[in-house]
Amino acid sequence: MMSEEEIQSFMAKMQDLKREEESEAAVKPVRFPPITSSQPGPSIKASLMHLEDVTMEIYVELGQARIKIKDLLNLETDSVLELNKSAGESADIYINSKPFARGEILVINDHFAVRLNKITRHDKLAACSQPKEQIEG
């Protein structure tokens, strides 16, 4: 059990720590360097209107499940399939069956959503689109 003197000493130390934290927590404005283009060459100032009618297939792999064919054939509307991932875990995003990005599975108002966290680098995408013989050779 602590004596009254020990309690008073402890309380004084806590108040001193609180004052130190308050003095260190000064808010300072953040200044970022100007944004510059990282790619050499002239910048392209063209409209993206010519890309409006480009069609591509985008899908996200939310998870996987193993079930027996018997159970698969018994699935109906509103059946629930338990996946091996849940909200907050990472998911793979594909464009035209090629890996494009990684994201985080979210649930917003009873709907699934995916937040993009990392987009695959362009050189890796180019390697994925080449035939396997060219990559190995």
Side-chain angles (χ1 to χ4, degrees):
M1 197 154 202
M2 293 177 74
S3 68
E4 190 169 332
E5 289 176 13
E6 292 174 324
I7 293 172
Q8 293 297 330
S9 173
F10 177 74
M11 294 298 289
K13 287 179 186 177
M14 293 303 292
Q15 287 179 350
D16 289 342
L17 284 174
K18 185 177 179 183
R19 281 190 211 113
E20 287 178 22
E21 287 177 1
E22 288 174 355
S23 66
E24 292 175 6
V27 177
K28 298 177 184 175
V30 178
R31 302 217 177 210
F32 295 103
I35 298 174
T36 58
S37 175
S38 61
Q39 296 182 355
S43 62
I44 299 172
K45 294 185 179 183
S47 171
L48 297 177
M49 297 279 291
H50 62 284
L51 296 176
E52 285 184 351
D53 61 347
V54 174
T55 303
M56 58 182 102
E57 179 184 83
I58 300 175
Y59 67 92
V60 178
E61 185 177 287
L62 295 175
Q64 298 177 354
R66 253 180 213 248
I67 62 172
K68 296 178 181 178
I69 293 177
K70 173 182 76 170
D71 297 331
L72 178 68
L73 296 173
N74 289 329
L75 289 177
E76 297 176 359
T77 304
D78 295 330
S79 292
V80 176
L81 209 71
E82 186 175 339
L83 300 176
N84 63 344
K85 291 186 181 183
S86 60
E89 292 191 52
S90 64
D92 296 317
I93 297 123
Y94 298 88
I95 294 182
N96 291 339
S97 301
K98 305 246 185 307
F100 173 71
R102 302 243 336 138
E104 176 185 358
I105 302 170
L106 305 173
V107 178
I108 302 172
N109 296 332
D110 295 331
H111 291 86
F112 281 104
V114 177
R115 174 188 298 140
L116 292 181
N117 292 335
K118 181 179 179 185
I119 296 177
T120 306
R121 288 186 15 214
H122 178 70
D123 55 346
K124 289 185 179 180
L125 286 175
C128 291
S129 63
Q130 294 177 3
K132 194 172 184 178
E133 300 83 39
Q134 289 181 356
I135 296 172
E136 293 174 355

